[in-house]
Amino acid sequence: MKHVVSISLGSSKGNKSHVAEIFGEEFKIERIGTDGDLKKFAQMFKDLDGKVDAIGVGGADIYVVVDKKRYAFRQIQSIVSACKTTPVVDGSGLKHTLERETVYRLQREGTVDFKKERVLLVSAVDRFGMAQALAELCPNVVYGDLMFAIGLPIRIRSYRAVRIIGALSLPIITKLPFKWFYPTGEKQDVRKPKFGWAFDEATFICGDTHFIKRSAPDKLPGKTILTQTLRKATIDWFRSTGLKRIITTTPVMGGETFATNVMEAVLVAALGKRPEEMTEADYLGALERLEWKPGVLELEA
């Protein structure tokens, strides 16, 4: 049996273990939270190195991307570099392929008509494949990077502006502590609604689940969310807001969805390649073999 572990800076309350058959082989898939404890987070990479088939980085990113330029969070990259044998991924391979294809597929199959939606993407540099696809298909997108990562009440209305702002700011931001920009540990469960007008203006909200839940107002009537990780408690909360529909990019396993980093770790382990050897064709081919499709959960009665 292959063994894949996601080591997360998120809460240990979200720990999960599941056994699935993938490409005819059994996989034990685990998610282990470290409650925002960076020392414990770092130690787990050392402890599991060479003992599991692939490791995912959860509750944090190694890379954020603008256009074709990748910027590494120095703090996270330093920690995962302790892993010398086992492949480590942060989901950026699937953000480049699966999340981009999700947007194209939703439009192609008529599930969503992005030409008619007013989209709020809470962070373009975190979901860069999604951001680039939306820039092609949707004439009305607000990229929320300045609002939800930095706290400035400024809408970014074009991906060209994301490129310019990212090129100026990310070389500095990625050298600062990661927790300044993304909630870790129990903070992921603490809601601090802000810029409610941005959510009110949108008909379609997409991006990281924690970013959305942390910042969204109490009510999201009639809106659709496109995201990745969904636990039962999160679905229940979204249902309480009056949300119309949730679409997920990653497959449902055991009644819930694992994060993008988990799925990428599974695919790397299944194909037996190092992350740097994986191509777009590898990811898309593997997803086709899995008969992957976006999950659509209608919440309105």
Side-chain angles (χ1 to χ4, degrees):
M1 179 187 295
K2 289 192 172 177
H3 190 185
V4 168
V5 178
S6 171
I7 305 171
S8 175
L9 271 174
S11 169
S12 58
K13 292 177 183 175
N15 286 357
K16 183 178 172 69
S17 179
H18 183 69
V19 175
E21 184 176 311
I22 297 171
F23 302 149
E25 188 171 12
E26 277 201 331
F27 275 73
K28 182 178 182 181
I29 305 166
E30 287 188 278
R31 182 269 187 195
I32 302 174
T34 57
D35 300 311
D37 184 335
L38 271 172
K39 288 184 179 178
K40 184 176 179 182
F41 181 73
Q43 188 61 46
M44 286 197 68
F45 283 92
K46 294 177 182 174
D47 292 345
L48 290 176
D49 188 25
K51 297 176 182 173
V52 298
D53 294 283
I55 297 176
V57 179
D61 287 321
I62 303 175
Y63 300 107
V64 287
V65 178
V66 174
D67 212 2
K68 296 181 180 179
K69 177 74 173 176
R70 293 199 308 176
Y71 300 86
F73 276 99
R74 185 165 62 182
Q75 184 181 38
I76 305 301
Q77 189 178 45
S78 174
I79 288 172
V80 305
S81 66
C83 219
K84 304 296 185 186
T85 303
T86 300
V88 177
V89 299
D90 72 340
S92 53
L94 283 184
K95 290 174 184 175
H96 180 71
T97 53
L98 175 146
E99 296 193 347
R100 183 192 311 275
E101 176 59 20
T102 297
V103 173
Y104 290 144
R105 183 166 181 163
L106 291 172
Q107 179 72 40
R108 189 168 63 238
E109 296 183 351
T111 309
V112 178
D113 186 354
F114 286 103
K115 294 182 179 64
K116 297 179 180 177
E117 300 285 355
R118 298 189 302 277
V119 173
L120 170 64
L121 174 58
V122 291
S123 173
V125 299
D126 175 49
R127 323 306 301 193
F128 48 92
M130 193 178 286
Q132 292 165 358
L134 287 170
E136 291 181 37
L137 298 179
C138 184
N140 195 344
V141 185
V142 169
Y143 304 92
D145 299 66
L146 291 178
M147 290 186 280
F148 303 109
I150 299 178
L152 299 176
I154 300 173
R155 302 172 182 85
I156 304 175
R157 291 194 177 277
S158 73
Y159 194 70
R160 180 175 179 274
V162 172
R163 287 194 196 103
I164 295 169
I165 294 169
L168 292 172
S169 62
L170 288 176
I172 300 169
I173 286 174
T174 49
K175 291 180 174 58
L176 300 174
F178 182 79
K179 65 181 181 182
W180 289 9
F181 306 99
Y182 189 86
T184 60
E186 297 290 340
K187 291 180 181 176
Q188 291 185 347
D189 297 323
V190 177
R191 292 190 55 249
K192 291 186 176 179
K194 57 184 175 183
F195 306 124
W197 43 265
F199 290 90
D200 291 342
E201 290 172 354
T203 58
F204 194 99
I205 300 156
C206 46
D208 178 85
T209 309
H210 295 302
F211 247 8
I212 294 173
K213 185 179 176 185
R214 182 177 172 82
S215 303
D218 294 336
K219 296 300 177 185
L220 298 166
K223 302 181 190 300
T224 295
I225 280 181
L226 171 63
T227 189
Q228 76 295 355
T229 315
L230 276 181
R231 315 307 293 268
K232 287 186 173 62
T234 305
I235 295 172
D236 290 343
W237 182 80
F238 277 131
R239 194 186 302 276
S240 75
T241 68
L243 198 71
K244 174 185 176 184
R245 181 168 57 168
I246 301 175
I247 302 174
T248 57
T249 58
T250 49
V252 175
M253 291 189 291
E256 298 176 328
T257 59
F258 281 98
T260 310
N261 74 86
V262 182
M263 289 309 304
E264 186 171 319
V266 167
L267 296 183
V268 166
L271 299 183
K273 290 188 171 185
R274 299 291 304 181
E276 59 272 21
E277 297 171 341
M278 293 286 286
T279 65
E280 182 174 338
D282 288 331
Y283 285 118
L284 293 176
L287 291 168
E288 187 175 348
R289 288 171 63 194
L290 288 172
E291 298 181 343
W292 161 83
K293 61 180 180 181
V296 180
L297 178 62
E298 302 287 348
L299 298 183
E300 285 187 338

